[in-house]
């Protein structure tokens, strides 16, 4: 018996839902009622937030269902509708906001078996939602293509979960976020109704499922645009001064002739915790971690010299499962690297103003020295270059955390709060997209999909989950 | 005897220079003293400007020399130095500012025979300066790469001439101009000295020869970064209103998820003169000509629908010598298409302010209705999306042309005057780059290279050309 099971609360199938009747309806589809399974699979990396860690630790599904194909998904959706059982979709469970944590229990729909590439054509791949990002790249690369962007969790994450939860990542410095027109070509979903429908959402309509945490339909397949697979070079460069590393990052970001996939200036002492890369991060220095197209590496080094930085590491990016990649020290993996040596931290997700990236980061640095440790990731948004950031914060109290957040916002730095449960509270604009809300009434009238995540949604149908 | 020869002025070898002594020095290198050759090759497309047409029509070289390799170039350079003979380099002669017109006569160095690809590696090509852009693409495409940008004259232009004269073109909507860091990797030049040196200019140093009209050394080879060769789709879309075509173009330009190589809104009646494309350009409508990555074509059409435009043409881009490509209706080819039906026009080269593209174009349109016909080409500059333009203008007098130019500048639209001879007068900032000027003293102390083009240059050496 594992530790997880020992420390688990009572997680026998809840009497809230007619799980046995539901199981009878779904026939031979694989299910699990094993308490250890239920507990383990009802989690993601929400524990990065001490606030979510407290609020989510006892949430657990009643049953795990693992569909083989879309027909299975339709059957499960119909059964959930008939028996009024919540349905929460689980991808790679690499998110940080409890996206796949079943707040109301019920069915946890594990997409892992629906991992097939349906087809490829130049620049486009059609995949089942449970395909891992790593596996997609592995299958598109031989034809000269790769995913345009991926989170730092690429080795584990699934495409469906990324689209339903993520906003961008490594690659967004060139292609912008998932929300930019053209970055999702189509999504196929199953509705939760008496007779579930299959809907193909093409073009702009596909945004109805982007960052909706699986509340607006069960994604079964995605059509994603690809980028040419380039020979990438991992680089680490060091600067005396964090501001200078940001300035240099911005110069490379703005240089449209320099091809890049990642530009992440990181403040000391964060690099102190980069086990595998520690030797390339000089004591007391800020570093910038980057992925640069090999044809641009000389131009990168020329600019670096002009900025007075020092190149400490340069090697072709290796995309293998057996080795920790450079990018697993950026985005929220930077937080994870810190957690490995210090549990008393947490983080924020911020978006610096595009015309005051260096200045606003410097102001935060001066105000919270020793308490807030910044790293930035340059990204494009709405056609403009800017930087997001996931500052690592020494945690004292929730009140102090809110104080820090207020200080960010006072400087025009937007916060996407990762310490809340709902889509609305976690968004930069504190609201859910109106299209998504209207669409949810069409595809999930009873509000069974991931209930509790879309706070603005109030079901209109009689018999809806309350 | 051709018409050209009949109408030519007296172009026997000038007594200004000891051409026979020079010929004796250069041995078996191919030369021509044929008057028709001399006259024909001493021209480019400067006649687009009625002002340049008058000033340059009698300028002619004394001898054409066609080097086979760099050793030949060195020999010619040494001979020109010894005998104080001007040397003007000729590429494809597709420019519009008299870049290869030998203002002071002397040697016209025809680079056509130095057209070899030296090597390729992923994302990089090393070529001799006389290689045609079309031929480079033809040889890099089978390996999955193409030039990042090219002028509308791609089917005839040479890479050396493009780098020495051009600033960007089709592709600059993604990669910015030639001046952006990373868009020229290296240039190899021969100096004009007693003992000519060969200098490899790498990285930022290569900018010393960019848009210098061959005044800062004889370019013999270039190392150019490549872009992945994508499946491009040519599109034409029509709008009732020119401003709306610009707005749509800007939306696509700013959508980083939509892959593009060309976005050119064109005002009616310019499309009336597009012989091969006329049927796709509805009467009285503005059109936008574009090259869109095939993986983004559906996203393009989705956005088009939102803007209320009409798709009138869509077909895979064909890059063949035997067919007029779509892009030969944009940039300065738009002027050429108009010349074919109306000789009484001229043009300007302008750069719209990045934050007032639509507004400033509308203001010019209102002020000069019927006299100025605008088309824009979206490009990136310094990391920001903006648009250049080459308005076609009904020509009356030089004074009126200057008046129009003043009206542009009053609206914050910068002018690179194409009706002047020198680098300085033709630049947006009315000056030559200081680096280039200093460098010229090192590599061409007597001022023999393309004399008259770099106005700020005053040779310090005794015996220099005056």
């Amino acid at each position: 018996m594992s530790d997880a099971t020992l420390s688990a609360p009572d997680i026998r199938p809840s009497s809230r839902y007619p799980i046995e009747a539901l199981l009878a309806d779904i026939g031979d589809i694989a299910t699990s009622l094993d308490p250890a399974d239920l507990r383990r699979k009802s989690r993601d990396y929400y524990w990065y937030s001490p606030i979510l860690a407290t609020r989510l630790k006892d949430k657990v599904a009643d049953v795990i269902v693992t569909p083989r194909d879309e027909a299975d998904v339709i059957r499960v959706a119909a059964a959930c509708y008939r028996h009024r059982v919540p349905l929460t979709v689980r991808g790679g469970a690499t998110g940080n906001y409890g996206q796949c944590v079943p707040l109301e229990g019920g069915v946890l729909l594990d997409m892992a078996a629906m991992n097939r590439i349906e087809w490829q054509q130049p620049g486009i791949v059609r995949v089942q939602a449970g395909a891992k990002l790593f596996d997609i790249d592995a299958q598109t690369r031989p034809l000269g293509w790769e995913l345009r962007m991926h989170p730092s969790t690429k080795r584990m994450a699934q495409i469906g979960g990324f689209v339903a939860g993520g906003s961008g990542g490594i690659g967004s410095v060139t292609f912008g976020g998932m929300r930019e027109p053209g970055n999702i070509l189509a999504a196929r979903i199953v509705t939760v109704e008496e007779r579930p429908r299959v809907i193909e959402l093409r073009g702009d309509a596909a945004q109805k499922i982007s960052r909706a945490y699986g509340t607006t339909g069960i994604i079964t397949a995605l059509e994603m645009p690809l980028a040419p697979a380039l020979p990438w070079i991992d680089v680490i460069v060091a600067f005396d001064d964090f501001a200078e590393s940001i300035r240099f990052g911005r110069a490379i970001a703005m240089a449209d002739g320099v091809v890049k996939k990642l530009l992440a200036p990181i403040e000391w002492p964060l690099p102190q915790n980069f086990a595998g890369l520690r030797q390339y991060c000089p004591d007391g220095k800020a570093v910038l971690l980057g992925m640069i197209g090999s044809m641009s590496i000389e131009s990168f080094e020329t600019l670096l010299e002009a900025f007075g930085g020092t190149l400490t590491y340069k090697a072709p990016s290796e995309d293998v499962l057996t080795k920790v990649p450079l990018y697993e020290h950026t985005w929220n993996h930077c937080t994870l690297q810190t957690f490995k040596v210090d549990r008393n931290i947490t983080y924020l997700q911020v978006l610096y103003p595009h015309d005051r990236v260096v200045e606003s980061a410097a102001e935060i640095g001066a105000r919270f020295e020793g308490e807030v440790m910044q790293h930035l990731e340059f990204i494009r948004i709405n056609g403009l270059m800017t930087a997001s950031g996931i500052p690592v914060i020494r945690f004292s109290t929730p009140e102090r955390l809110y104080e820090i957040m207020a200080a960010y916002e006072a400087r025009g730095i937007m916060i996407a709060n990762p310490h809340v449960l709902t889509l609305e509270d976690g968004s930069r604009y504190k609201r859910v997209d109106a299209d998504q809300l209207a669409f949810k009434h069409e595809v999930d009238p009873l509000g069974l999909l991931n209930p509790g995540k879309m706070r603005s949604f109030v079901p209109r149908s009689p018999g809806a989950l309350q």
Side-chain angles (χ1 to χ4, degrees), chain A:
Chain A
M1 198 178 269
S2 77
D3 281 0
T5 318
L6 278 172
S7 62
D10 185 353
I11 41 110
R12 281 166 301 186
S14 156
S15 55
R16 282 186 291 182
Y17 309 115
I19 297 297
E20 286 187 22
L22 180 131
L23 291 179
D25 276 7
I26 65 174
D28 69 343
I29 305 174
T31 60
S32 171
L33 295 165
D34 176 68
D37 265 4
L38 287 171
R39 176 126 189 101
R40 184 172 56 82
K41 291 208 166 170
S42 296
R43 299 167 59 91
D44 65 7
Y45 286 80
Y46 64 75
W47 53 265
Y48 281 29
S49 159
I51 296 164
L52 293 186
T54 307
R55 294 185 62 181
L56 295 182
K57 69 178 163 48
D58 297 331
K59 305 296 180 189
V60 68
D62 293 285
V63 59
I64 298 163
V65 181
T66 307
R68 293 156 294 195
D69 53 27
E70 198 175 75
D72 281 359
V73 173
I74 291 169
R75 205 160 166 190
V76 177
C80 283
Y81 184 90
R82 188 173 317 124
H83 302 291
R84 307 292 192 261
V85 179
L87 188 162
T88 299
V89 181
R90 183 187 197 272
T94 55
N96 297 101
Y97 330 115
Q99 173 181 342
C100 74
V101 174
L103 297 181
E104 306 292 337
V107 167
L108 192 65
L109 195 73
D110 184 345
M111 297 301 288
M114 288 181 62
N115 62 357
R116 205 164 44 80
I117 308 275
E118 296 188 359
W119 52 257
Q120 289 187 57
Q121 65 187 54
I124 305 179
V125 68
R126 175 97 180 187
V127 289
Q128 289 187 317
K132 284 189 182 173
L133 303 182
F134 184 91
D135 295 337
I136 297 171
D137 266 10
Q139 290 179 72
T140 54
R141 282 248 176 77
L143 298 178
W145 302 92
E146 64 185 23
L147 286 167
R148 287 183 173 179
M149 64 194 75
H150 63 78
S152 65
T153 53
K154 177 185 167 186
R155 290 196 295 169
M156 296 162 66
Q158 294 174 12
I159 188 72
F162 180 41
V163 169
S167 55
I170 291 121
S172 291
V173 68
T174 297
F175 288 101
M178 199 68 90
R179 282 282 179 115
E180 298 294 328
N183 280 337
I184 305 172
L185 298 181
R188 188 173 164 101
I189 63 162
V190 169
T191 66
V192 181
E193 299 175 280
E194 188 175 351
R195 287 190 181 80
R197 290 169 295 153
V198 174
I199 302 178
E200 175 90 5
L201 301 165
R202 296 207 66 86
D204 199 41
Q207 292 295 340
K208 294 180 198 298
I209 53 86
S210 166
R211 204 183 165 279
Y213 288 181
T215 56
T216 54
I218 304 165
I219 307 169
T220 56
L222 286 159
E223 205 172 301
M224 302 296 288
L226 300 172
L230 298 183
W232 297 110
I233 308 285
D234 290 341
V235 289
I236 303 177
V237 298
F239 288 89
D240 289 342
D241 182 28
F242 181 51
E244 202 55 19
S245 73
I246 303 175
R247 258 181 228 111
F248 170 68
R250 191 157 193 279
I252 295 289
M254 296 290 277
D256 290 309
V258 178
V259 174
K260 56 259 169 182
K261 194 168 179 177
L262 172 68
L263 288 173
I266 303 174
E267 186 177 23
W268 184 264
L270 291 172
Q272 191 162 24
N273 307 315
F274 291 176
L277 300 179
R278 180 65 184 86
Q279 59 184 301
Y280 310 110
C281 302
D283 285 352
K285 306 275 187 188
V287 293
L288 177 141
L289 271 55
M291 292 174 69
I292 306 295
S294 66
M295 72 295 293
S296 295
I297 196 70
E298 186 179 346
S299 310
F300 176 89
E301 291 185 54
T302 301
L303 261 167
L304 179 63
E305 210 179 303
F307 275 81
T310 307
L311 183 76
T312 61
Y313 179 79
K314 179 172 73 167
S317 307
E318 272 186 282
D319 217 2
V320 292
L321 280 178
T322 50
K323 199 176 156 187
V324 177
L326 181 94
Y327 63 70
E328 283 191 15
H329 300 79
T330 65
W331 291 84
N332 224 352
H333 258 87
C334 188
T335 317
L336 183 62
Q337 301 289 352
T338 314
F339 264 124
K340 287 177 182 169
V341 295
D342 182 357
R343 297 291 294 198
N344 198 32
I345 55 145
T346 187
Y347 74 109
L348 286 175
Q349 294 185 134
V350 308
L351 182 70
Y352 296 88
H354 75 93
D355 51 356
R356 290 188 70 248
V357 171
V358 178
E359 297 79 353
S360 59
E363 287 165 22
I364 290 293
R367 166 89 192 265
F368 297 108
E369 207 183 328
E371 184 174 8
V372 172
M373 294 161 281
Q374 296 180 86
H375 60 105
L376 277 60
E377 282 80 26
F378 282 95
I379 57 169
R380 282 192 182 283
I381 291 191
N382 298 330
L384 294 172
M385 185 63 76
T386 184
S388 63
I390 312 188
V392 178
I393 297 173
R394 296 197 197 286
F395 186 67
S396 49
T397 63
E399 291 66 33
R400 177 60 177 171
L401 189 56
Y402 299 139
E403 204 177 312
I404 294 171
M405 287 166 64
Y408 269 89
E409 290 184 323
R411 281 158 185 81
I413 307 172
M414 287 204 281
I415 301 259
N417 187 352
H419 304 287
V420 293
L421 288 178
T422 65
L423 287 164
E424 291 87 342
D425 294 336
S427 98
R428 286 198 299 269
Y429 305 98
K430 309 285 182 273
R431 57 178 169 77
V432 73
D433 189 277
D435 254 18
Q436 292 184 336
L437 187 56
F439 188 61
K440 184 170 173 70
H441 283 287
E442 288 177 40
V443 296
D444 180 27
L446 299 186
L448 294 171
L449 284 173
N450 214 348
K453 297 290 171 28
M454 191 184 274
R455 170 160 63 75
S456 329
F457 178 78
V458 180
R460 302 181 194 125
S461 306
L465 199 75
Q466 287 308 320

